[in-house]
Amino acid sequence: ARAETENVRRQGQADVARAHKYAIEKFAEDLLPVKDALEQTVNAAASVAAETIKAGAELTLKSLNAAFGRAQITEIDPAGEKFDPHRHHAMQVVESDLPPNTVVTVFQKGYMINDRVLRPAMVTVSKTPESGGGNGAAA
């Protein structure tokens, strides 16, 4: 009985190790057509019109977005939203007519996988304009 328990434990550890090693396999399979399409675009770039390249890039992006969707990867594009330090990284703070702590500009979208931040969005955040700054400048 003790030997069987040890075998079951070892088999369980091996199963967990395989699961970790190959967990990304489905996502990698979903990305292969995206890579193929990008390679075709690069190889054809010199001999096709810019509109054709643009159309190919749009289809490739659509394919990539579908792969992200299947992997539960979602965009964080917070323009106009309240700043969230857990999902956004403030690159700068600027005076704005928007309410304080509102995302004014998105420099780079962020991404989440399920409910975990993969990369925060890089943003500019609003602050209340300084009033009466005493510099003598007329508005």
Side-chain angles (χ1 to χ4, degrees):
R2 178 182 263 169
E4 187 167 332
T5 301
E6 184 63 24
N7 285 341
V8 168
R9 186 184 64 76
R10 261 188 260 135
Q11 182 63 43
Q13 287 175 334
D15 289 346
V16 168
R18 275 191 298 280
H20 282 110
K21 185 175 182 180
Y22 298 107
I24 197 165
E25 184 174 9
K26 179 63 179 138
F27 184 59
E29 287 174 358
D30 286 344
L31 290 182
L32 292 177
V34 175
K35 183 177 186 302
D36 293 341
L38 287 172
E39 286 174 343
Q40 290 172 350
T41 299
V42 168
N43 291 335
S47 61
V48 296
E51 297 82 28
T52 304
I53 293 173
K54 184 176 189 273
E58 287 171 346
L59 285 173
T60 302
L61 183 58
K62 184 177 179 182
S63 177
L64 181 61
N65 284 333
F68 277 14
R70 288 188 293 276
Q72 305 300 312
I73 297 172
T74 55
E75 281 186 356
I76 302 172
D77 190 3
E81 296 178 5
K82 182 169 177 46
F83 176 73
D84 178 352
H86 301 290
R87 297 172 21 138
H88 312 143
H89 180 82
M91 302 298 291
Q92 61 185 15
V93 178
V94 296
E95 292 184 1
S96 172
D97 293 333
L98 293 172
N101 294 319
T102 300
V103 174
V104 177
T105 308
V106 178
F107 292 112
Q108 186 179 60
K109 294 177 189 174
Y111 290 89
M112 296 187 70
I113 185 163
N114 293 312
D115 60 349
R116 182 180 294 173
V117 173
L118 199 53
R119 179 180 80 191
M122 303 294 190
V123 300
T124 298
V125 181
S126 64
K127 71 176 181 177
T128 305
E130 300 291 327
S131 57
N135 61 4

